[in-house]
Amino acid sequence: MNQATALVVDDEPDILELLELTLARMNVQARCAATLEEAKTWLGREPFQLCLTDMRLPDGDGIDLVAYIQERFPNLPVAVITAHGNMEAAVRALKCGAFDFVSKPVDLQILRKLVGSAIQLTDAESPRDRRSRDVLLGDSAPMRDIRGKIVRLARTQAPVFIHGESGTGKELVARLIHAKSPRAGKPFVAVNCGAIPAELMESEFFGHKKGSFSGAVADHPGLFQAADGGTLFLDEVADLPLHLQVKLLRAIQEKRVRPVGGHEEIPVDVRILSATHKDLKALVDEGRFRQDLYYRINVIELTVPPLRQRREDIPLMADRILNRIARDNGLPPLKLTERAFKTLCRYDFPGNVRELENILERAAALCEGEVLDADDLHLPSASAPVSTIPSEAGTPLPEGPFSLEDYLGEIERRAILDALAQTRWNRSKAARRLGMTLRQLKYRLQKWGLDGGED
């Protein structure tokens, strides 16, 4: 294996010597620089696989070097060395494009993991990267933009906050970021923060020791330990209670966790990706989400657009979904008529991609032939003209004669779909939101042939 070379920039001789010795034990040759200008000279002289730079240099700032490298050597990962507790500087560096950061005094175990991950970034593009279009479907401008961002975000360790409505594919985006990163060979651990009982959250995230509480019959590793070396995806992060937000913030900043009932902290190397369909900034303003944690997980924000904002992707997605349904169920190839395609493209999809999949799975199950028409989709008419003059009740009415029963039924159907989308298709939560019993909701879903998801 060829020896890698790292550029180390620091004006403290003791730190330079420590880093040089540590790198040498990892078969990494170090070139040392004490100033920003000296570092630029080295960068112009030979190629490097990694740059480590202190934040404070005699003739500039470490972030200046990050920006310089981003502009001239975009494929070179650069990590910054920050003063202990100076998270603001670390976050600024990550926003400017730094690969990662390490705090003083330098924890050599954390440093070794950082160096190993950074050097892997210089490997050739993997076949997984070239297959991404087969996973994240769509040729619309928003989807091309997201695919490009995923590739760039995979090259950094910065926390990414993925925002989007329910059903848009936020977890898929997180998985792709992980799959294209140097952490791809390590675990990807996804957790729905709203699905863990509050009393078990600390144990689930950080683990517990045997005997630490009633029922703790053995040591239990938490989610951070399970994701060590890989990626921890916090879905619906807005649902975390405030008391856990404090401990989560410390774990992210210190890169260490203390199991419940434990006396020692355990170092963990985890990249944090998070997501929610809620307005996290509004929750911060309302005091329901900690501002410091918000800025820590929201170093880079990536918004996944709803399906209605990229309607041109619907025909391609529908074809791929139908092909998968036919293959998984041993059916002959299924096709949509032109009329069915137009009906799908006019529909707003409050449940986004997840709802599109449910609609097509239902249609494929109920249709007797191999060609699906618009009527097989059981969607409301997307082309019916709506009067611009509101009724006295404030709800616009269709023009001309219409069936009141069908009209009211469609209003009810849309309200139920919205509630399902907002609760991630959890029927029990949707029923509570709509003020009806679960039995009543199931009856309506059965009547319309809708798959309401998990209880």
Side-chain angles (χ1 to χ4, degrees), residues 296-330:
R296 189 65 190 91
I297 64 174
N298 193 29
V299 173
I300 300 173
E301 182 170 340
L302 180 61
T303 299
V304 184
L307 195 52
R308 62 182 175 275
Q309 291 182 6
R310 51 185 187 99
R311 297 180 189 271
E312 61 267 44
D313 291 334
I314 292 175
L316 171 64
M317 298 180 70
D319 274 339
R320 296 292 180 88
I321 292 169
L322 285 176
N323 287 340
R324 174 180 56 77
I325 292 171
R327 183 178 64 251
D328 292 348
N329 294 279

Side-chain angles (χ1 to χ4, degrees), residues 177-190:
I177 292 173
H178 170 78
K180 295 174 182 298
S181 76
R183 296 177 177 266
K186 298 294 184 178
F188 175 91
V189 178

Side-chain angles (χ1 to χ4, degrees), residues 43-246:
L43 287 166
R45 187 179 299 170
E46 61 180 276
F48 293 94
Q49 283 69 54
L50 166 68
C51 175
L52 285 169
T53 179
D54 192 18
M55 281 295 290
R56 301 184 66 178
L57 300 171
D59 57 344
D61 191 293
I63 292 181
D64 296 334
L65 184 57
V66 172
Y68 179 85
I69 290 175
Q70 280 287 297
E71 181 180 350
R72 292 168 175 78
F73 309 96
N75 293 326
L76 173 61
V78 51
V80 296
I81 304 170
T82 66
H84 178 70
N86 192 354
M87 287 306 303
E88 288 186 8
V91 169
R92 280 196 298 127
L94 291 171
K95 284 182 178 291
C96 287
F99 167 76
D100 205 348
F101 72 94
V102 60
S103 299
K104 294 179 181 178
V106 177
D107 185 314
L108 296 184
Q109 185 176 351
I110 292 175
L111 176 65
R112 292 187 192 100
K113 290 181 178 180
L114 183 156
V115 171
S117 296
I119 290 176
Q120 287 183 52
L121 282 176
T122 60
D123 293 343
E125 180 186 8
S126 69
R128 184 168 40 233
D129 294 327
R130 294 190 291 271
R131 292 198 303 266
S132 64
R133 287 171 58 84
D134 297 330
V135 179
L136 194 62
L137 295 176
D139 282 320
S140 62
M143 296 312 291
R144 291 197 301 269
D145 179 61
I146 285 179
R147 280 195 292 269
K149 287 179 178 177
I150 286 173
V151 173
R152 293 193 295 274
L153 293 177
R155 297 186 57 83
T156 175
Q157 301 297 296
V160 179
F161 173 64
I162 306 168
H163 183 261
E165 296 178 5
S166 293
T168 50
K170 298 186 291 296
E171 182 172 339
L172 174 58
V173 170
R175 288 184 180 276
L176 287 171
I177 292 173
H178 170 78
K180 295 174 182 298
S181 76
R183 296 177 177 266
K186 298 294 184 178
F188 175 91
V189 178
V191 55
N192 186 326
C193 298
I196 304 176
E199 63 273 15
L200 297 179
M201 276 194 169
E202 187 174 354
S203 170
E204 285 297 307
F205 274 95
F206 310 124
H208 64 250
K209 291 294 185 179
K210 178 180 178 180
S212 56
F213 55 85
S214 177
V217 297
D219 289 355
H220 171 71
L223 294 167
F224 271 84
Q225 294 98 310
D228 191 31
T231 302
L232 180 59
F233 175 55
L234 306 176
D235 197 8
E236 297 306 335
V237 68
D239 293 338
L240 285 173
L242 286 170
H243 78 274
L244 193 77
Q245 291 178 27
V246 178

